[in-house]
Amino acid sequence: MHYVDRELNEECAVFGIWGHENAAKLTYYGLHSMQHRGQEGAGICVSDGKHLYDHKGLGLVNDVFNHDILDTINKGKAAIGHVRYSTQGGNSYANVQPLVFRSQKDSLSIAHNGNLVNAHKLKGELEERGSIFQTTSDTEVIAHLIKRDFADNFIESVKHALSVIKGAYALAMLNEHEMIAALDPNGLRPLSLGKLGDAWVIASETCAFDIIGATYVRDVNPGEILIINDDGVRSDFFTTHSEPAICSMEYIYFSRPDSNIQGINVHAARKNLGRKLAQEAPVEADVVTGVPDSSISAAIGYAEATGIPYELGMIKNRYVGRTFIQPSQELREQGVKMKLSPVRAIVEGKRVVMVDDSIVRGTTSRRIVGMLREAGATEVHVRISSPPITHPCFYGIDTSTSSELIASTHSVEDIRKEIGADSLVFLSVDGLQEAIGRNPALKNCGQCMACFTGKYPTEIYPDTVLPHEKELLV
């Protein structure tokens, strides 16, 4: 089977601030700090208490905004922003968020990180009741639900809408009078509250607080809604049924190493994953190296636990962007070389342990192993700081079919042969949970393990799953 060469990608990040005269510019910096979560589009919406002003576009934050644009929209003391990687809805200008909805009474802007598993069902019901959709994003469904129910009480309308939608959602919403933060009942995506002077800040990752000088206050709880206005912050809940299940890949791959997720530093968690991997899968070798950037922390942990020296065995070319001219077909087939280069002086004549955070389709791993061998490595032992990804994700990661996942159809030994490694070991499910160090009293330590186990924390609707995938659901 041929596997397309793609990496894991997460859908997006949200940011919001209430009560600061430079709201738009601070939102720009907050989004810039979370650019790793989405590179296909960016947008900011600002409220001056009477009107909403927005600007958005395709591309990186730096591509979409400049000083003149920020000065134009910097009209109020409240703003929300969004960076996007498209999963549901595709990559088009209309789907770039925040989405803004205007009516005779008021306006509403929504930024959403995650994916709704019942969006198709709800959209059909809403269309039957007369709704007309302008985008293909599932986020628009939320706005229609809010507008249709409890129209005289905005917060009750929001709570009702959130009780209807299913799946993963960390939301930032803004109207002329207040900013709303909300998290799904499983807390599948991270969302935190911070403070900057008298201003309140929300962000998908705490690294955004550090960039603008804000102080972390707490995480938003699963099933919680925060109403933020000039009176401060008020907490409410739209459900009494919550079961924490944050996406494990936030710790393994997605989040920045300097972010903290529910009290656990991401870099420290990844080092612990590497240490646990060393306990489960030691090997005689001369050097340990990590695949830049997300695997470096785990590689350091593996090296510390085994006593094998950690070295920078691979260098990442940081100037290969999304706008570079496509190379010839011959070069395209070895495209990993455009991003990664082995350091021959480090790996030549050495037995190398190559630590990576995951194997999705196997193509990239095979090419990296090949490059290390070409650079003179005598042995290449691959160690993966997560379990095999055997099931698709329906919550906002772009692996919605098992055909994209090599571990869904191949044994570990088959994958080892496919990538050309001397040995291959994945971290165990128990080892993953223990290493991250979340609350062991919670189910799965409060983590979503669905991509490893097939046990999803929410109902998965039939129209979300391709027909040949349904037998994979546990």
Side-chain angles (χ1 to χ4, degrees):
M1 180 181 291
H2 175 68
Y3 291 87
V4 179
D5 182 20
R6 294 169 64 199
E7 298 176 348
L8 284 173
N9 287 288
E10 215 272 343
E11 191 172 0
C12 56
V14 300
F15 182 91
I17 185 166
W18 182 278
H20 199 287
E21 60 184 7
N22 287 316
K25 294 179 180 180
L26 289 171
T27 300
Y28 167 86
Y29 288 117
L31 294 180
H32 194 277
S33 73
M34 298 185 289
Q35 185 75 85
H36 58 285
R37 298 184 73 90
Q39 300 87 43
E40 295 189 353
I44 294 174
C45 182
V46 182
S47 171
D48 66 358
K50 296 180 180 179
H51 305 284
L52 298 186
Y53 307 88
D54 71 299
H55 181 83
K56 63 181 184 177
L58 296 171
L60 302 175
V61 176
N62 279 340
D63 298 329
V64 176
F65 295 97
N66 57 38
H67 287 293
D68 292 339
I69 291 171
L70 288 171
D71 285 340
T72 300
I73 64 172
N74 196 38
K75 296 178 180 291
K77 295 184 178 181
I80 63 171
H82 188 272
V83 291
R84 173 177 175 78
Y85 175 86
S86 61
T87 53
Q88 290 299 312
N91 185 26
S92 69
Y93 175 83
N95 290 325
V96 177
Q97 299 180 33
L99 300 181
V100 180
F101 307 90
R102 306 184 191 278
S103 66
Q104 290 183 333
K105 291 182 60 178
D106 49 29
S107 301
L108 175 64
S109 181
I110 303 179
H112 170 208
N113 174 22
N115 196 51
L116 307 183
V117 296
N118 64 338
H120 183 79
K121 175 178 179 290
L122 291 173
K123 195 170 185 178
E125 294 172 355
L126 287 164
E127 286 179 345
E128 288 181 359
R129 294 161 61 187
S131 292
I132 298 174
F133 289 85
Q134 302 298 316
T135 76
T136 55
S137 170
D138 56 1
T139 308
E140 192 175 1
V141 171
I142 302 170
H144 281 266
L145 289 170
I146 291 172
K147 193 63 181 175
R148 282 189 170 272
D149 299 305
F150 303 104
D152 293 333
N153 189 319
F154 175 69
I155 299 303
E156 288 303 314
S157 183
V158 170
K159 290 168 63 177
H160 181 261
L162 299 182
S163 70
V164 172
I165 60 176
K166 308 296 180 186
Y169 51 91
L171 295 169
M173 293 181 275
L174 182 68
N175 62 22
E176 293 85 352
H177 315 295
E178 55 212 343
M179 181 171 71
I180 306 293
L183 193 61
D184 69 78
N186 296 109
L188 282 155
R189 294 280 163 248
L191 189 62
S192 297
L193 175 70
K195 195 86 185 290
L196 178 61
D198 293 328
W200 292 97
V201 189
I202 55 172
S204 291
E205 290 193 35
T206 61
C207 64
F209 298 158
D210 299 331
I211 292 296
I212 66 170
T215 302
Y216 166 83
V217 175
R218 68 176 180 88
D219 291 283
V220 180
N221 294 308
E224 186 178 23
I225 176 172
L226 297 180
I227 302 97
I228 304 170
N229 53 34
D230 290 340
D231 295 326
V233 178
R234 178 168 65 89
S235 172
D236 201 348
F237 285 84
F238 58 88
T239 179
T240 57
H241 304 288
S242 63
E243 185 175 73
I246 191 166
C247 174
S248 295
M249 296 305 294
E250 292 288 351
Y251 292 101
I252 296 165
Y253 177 81
F254 293 131
S255 295
R256 258 177 53 159
D258 53 337
S259 287
N260 298 323
I261 303 174
Q262 297 174 1
I264 297 174
N265 175 255
V266 172
H267 167 68
R270 289 176 185 165
K271 280 188 70 175
N272 287 338
L273 292 172
R275 292 189 184 102
K276 190 65 179 177
L277 186 58
Q279 294 175 14
E280 294 185 356
V283 65
E284 291 188 6
D286 304 305
V287 63
V288 176
T289 191
V291 178
D293 285 319
S294 56
S295 305
I296 290 176
S297 300
I300 293 171
Y302 189 97
E304 288 180 355
T306 59
I308 303 170
Y310 169 80
E311 293 284 359
L312 202 63
M314 285 174 280
I315 300 296
K316 184 175 183 179
N317 181 357
R318 303 185 186 282
Y319 299 97
V320 179
R322 306 185 70 82
T323 57
F324 95 2
I325 298 171
Q326 288 293 326
S328 66
Q329 181 62 31
E330 181 181 355
L331 257 180
R332 190 180 294 117
E333 290 175 355
Q334 301 181 53
V336 173
K337 289 185 177 180
M338 303 297 292
K339 291 184 177 182
L340 293 173
S341 300
V343 183
R344 180 176 292 273
I346 298 298
V347 303
E348 189 172 24
K350 304 286 181 60
R351 299 168 296 175
V352 177
V353 177
M354 183 193 98
V355 178
D356 205 353
D357 50 63
S358 59
I359 294 180
V360 184
R361 299 158 183 93
T363 312
T364 299
S365 299
R366 183 177 69 246
R367 291 176 178 172
I368 295 174
V369 170
M371 286 193 298
L372 290 170
R373 291 197 188 281
E374 289 172 12
T378 58
E379 297 176 9
V380 181
H381 300 276
V382 177
R383 296 295 182 267
I384 305 299
S385 59
S386 65
I389 300 176
T390 54
H391 289 73
C393 176
F394 303 107
Y395 302 122
I397 302 174
D398 67 340
T399 57
S400 58
T401 66
S402 62
S403 61
E404 299 176 298
L405 307 172
I406 190 171
S408 70
T409 55
H410 291 60
S411 67
V412 173
E413 175 60 15
D414 288 339
I415 298 172
R416 183 197 67 77
K417 293 177 182 177
E418 180 79 17
I419 67 175
D422 290 282
S423 68
L424 168 65
V425 182
F426 292 83
L427 185 64
S428 68
V429 168
D430 289 342
L432 171 66
Q433 293 175 353
E434 181 181 334
I436 290 175
R438 288 172 57 84
N439 186 353
L442 297 174
K443 182 179 180 181
N444 294 323
C445 297
Q447 296 168 223
C448 177
M449 306 291 290
C451 57
F452 311 123
T453 65
K455 297 179 181 179
Y456 296 88
T458 73
E459 180 182 358
I460 301 299
Y461 289 71
D463 53 24
T464 308
V465 187
L466 295 175
H468 67 279
E469 302 281 349
K470 292 179 180 178
E471 69 275 8
L472 294 175
L473 301 182
V474 176

